[in-house]
Amino acid sequence: MKKNDELIVLEIMEQRGVLFNEAQKTRVHNLRQGYKGELEFKKWYDSHCNKRWIFVGDYWFEFKARMQADSILISPRQWILIDTKYYDAAFEYKNDVCYINNVAQEKNIFDSVKEKTRRLAGIAAKVDTRIQVRPVVVFIHENCHTTFDASLTVEAIQRTQLARFFNSIRVVDEMPDSLLQKVMSQLEFYRRPYGFPVDALKPEGFEYVRAGTRCGGCGGFNVEKNRSGLSCKKCGRHESLQEVVYKHAYELRYLFYHHPEMVTVNNLYRLMNGTISLKTIRKHMNTNFVLKRQSNIWYYEINI
Ligand SMILES: [Zn+2]
């Protein structure tokens, strides 16, 4: 499951020391928790679920309003909308209010789940009006303990109940190919691109970026150059120069998300703090990417 572009950009900014404000820090934290939750659920699906259930992950759609479904399990007569919460905390639901570590939350997460369910049911009905959409909220963090009172009307489970959940949906009809095609074409029809603007750097922000060459494994800056490439002093990973150049080119591309023309040999040299020569950078960039021209700037085109 791929991270969304916003998270990729913010994590690079964080690692390069250019996350400027608290809002960005909170945002990257929330996005990362959301991503971990989705990833964790996918792992459970892979190891515990009857594969007759078709998995659809991170689905952005617009059906009267724009929304995102973390995961959907699809069978001929039932779609299960999975909303994962990755709270490393105690969660309580009492008299229609959510509490995280005893602090009342303004937002009722179950209301948005109900709305998503209604919208998704609208899409399901385009396939077959008999399809039921069943929402399940999964509190997937291993440290999350949940308590619910009778006011809760949405199915909610915690991690320790997941094995039982997958067991309970073990028996399911097989999806005929023709129906699967119909489902996928409806989902595609309502699919929309990621719903948030990506808050990336402008070219003049380059001066605040921490320059240096980073390890492709642990992301640390503690790398050593040798004849065949780069070795990480922290995790021991070895990478060829070609890999290093390629990876940093992508990093530069994401960092200046709205400025593809920033991917130049000189900027890469600057980002890597001169670790690799201009000549070597140029050689590897020419092998991997197409050179483009925008007014008087030559840059390498990287599609993300
Ligand atoms: Zn490393």
Side-chain angles (χ1 to χ4, degrees), residues 107-228:
K107 202 180 141 211
N108 185 337
I109 55 168
F110 298 104
D111 287 344
S112 68
V113 172
K114 282 183 207 163
E115 199 191 338
K116 261 184 232 184
T117 308
R118 279 195 300 273
R119 310 264 181 219
L120 205 57
I123 298 177
K126 303 274 181 189
V127 178
D128 185 333
T129 50
R130 291 167 299 181
I131 296 170
Q132 302 272 321
V133 177
R134 166 186 170 192
V136 179
V137 179
V138 184
F139 293 85
I140 206 160
H141 197 289
E142 55 192 353
N143 298 333
C144 183
H145 289 279
T146 56
T147 337
F148 310 108
D149 74 2
S151 68
L152 183 68
T153 54
V154 175
E155 191 179 347
I157 58 175
Q158 57 182 33
R159 185 189 179 90
T160 50
Q161 297 166 304
L162 264 174
R164 202 183 308 154
F165 165 75
F166 283 114
N167 198 35
S168 74
I169 60 167
R170 192 180 69 248
V171 179
V172 63
D173 290 338
E174 197 163 355
M175 178 78 91
D177 282 347
S178 57
L179 182 60
L180 180 60
Q181 265 178 14
K182 215 172 159 191
V183 169
M184 290 305 166
S185 73
Q186 285 301 331
L187 289 178
E188 276 315 306
F189 183 78
Y190 292 102
R191 188 187 287 277
R192 293 295 177 271
Y194 181 64
F196 292 97
V198 176
D199 188 9
L201 280 184
K202 294 188 178 72
E204 56 270 28
F206 209 166
E207 62 175 301
Y208 304 105
V209 172
R210 177 176 172 190
T213 307
R214 299 203 299 135
C215 163
C218 68
F221 286 87
N222 203 357
V223 292
E224 198 174 42
K225 196 179 169 205
N226 46 44
R227 229 184 316 150
S228 62

